[in-house]
Amino acid sequence: MAYPDDLLGEDEHVVIHKHPHWKMLLGPVLAFLVVVAAGAFLAALASRYSWHQIAWIAIAVVCLLLVGRFTLGALLRWRTTHFVVTTHRVMSREGVFSRRGIDIPMSRINSVEFRHGLMDRMLGCGTLVIESASDEPLEFHDIPRVERVHSLLYREVNDDPDDDFHPGARRGAGR
């Protein structure tokens, strides 16, 4: 997936593009299930009364607001969060209405580290830590297949010509 095409330089290619791991959606899905179950329970209780239609409308409105706030909002945040490694830089973009982004040129990266605990290892995700020329290392949480991303990023930073893996357009260049 070539994201974001309009932000890439002429000779720049996307190496990897990831959204956060799906584990960040577990809470919103659980909230959805709880809201639907509670709404159905309350609608069943209200059906005993003569004013049940008004109660059903009120329950439906409250359930829709809760689902919108806790489930759809989180899904939209997940969908609009991007972690991108290109041949020249690492980019992170997040936000729905107000966007936030950071670009780290490959030449400024000093070290790349990953961390993941037992649960992250079971789910196949983790935290990627990039130390650059800035004061504080940057941490990117919930990166899917973090060990593979770490390895690809390390290869891009070192750009070893003897390496047999060169993503993107460089794959057959110069060989």
Side-chain angles (χ1 to χ4, degrees):
M1 183 180 297
Y3 173 88
D5 287 334
D6 58 337
L7 297 179
L8 297 179
E10 192 172 303
D11 61 338
E12 187 174 17
H13 305 284
V14 173
V15 175
I16 196 161
H17 172 212
K18 299 278 187 182
H19 292 284
H21 193 267
W22 55 263
K23 82 173 189 177
M24 94 180 261
L25 297 174
L26 289 177
V29 168
L30 181 62
F32 173 78
L33 295 174
V34 168
V35 167
V36 169
F41 178 74
L42 292 174
L45 284 179
S47 66
R48 299 178 182 172
Y49 302 102
S50 61
W51 43 268
H52 67 275
Q53 291 176 337
I54 295 170
W56 285 350
I57 292 171
I59 292 168
V61 167
V62 169
C63 286
L64 285 175
L65 290 173
L66 290 172
V67 165
R69 167 67 173 93
F70 294 110
T71 303
L72 296 179
L75 181 62
L76 194 55
R77 276 189 304 278
W78 174 82
R79 186 72 180 121
T80 59
T81 300
H82 302 271
F83 179 79
V84 181
V85 176
T86 72
T87 52
H88 295 128
R89 59 190 161 157
V90 174
M91 296 187 292
S92 174
R93 302 284 187 271
E94 60 185 50
V96 179
F97 299 112
S98 62
R99 301 278 293 162
R100 187 177 80 149
I102 187 168
D103 292 5
I104 308 167
M106 289 292 180
S107 61
R108 308 278 292 189
I109 295 176
N110 296 332
S111 67
V112 183
E113 171 188 342
F114 71 90
R115 291 190 304 253
H116 52 177
L118 180 61
M119 186 58 82
D120 285 343
R121 288 182 71 185
M122 289 172 37
L123 293 174
C125 65
T127 300
L128 189 69
V129 181
I130 298 175
E131 187 177 317
S132 65
S134 66
D135 294 337
E136 296 286 324
L138 298 169
E139 294 188 5
F140 300 95
H141 302 281
D142 296 329
I143 302 293
R145 299 181 68 191
V146 70
E147 288 185 54
R148 182 171 188 271
V149 173
H150 171 265
S151 175
L152 288 173
L153 184 55
Y154 181 79
R155 287 178 182 172
E156 285 299 316
V157 167
N158 289 316
D159 200 26
D160 186 359
D162 296 328
D163 200 2
D164 61 344
F165 178 78
H166 289 283
R170 299 185 312 158
R171 185 168 287 152
R175 295 181 194 234

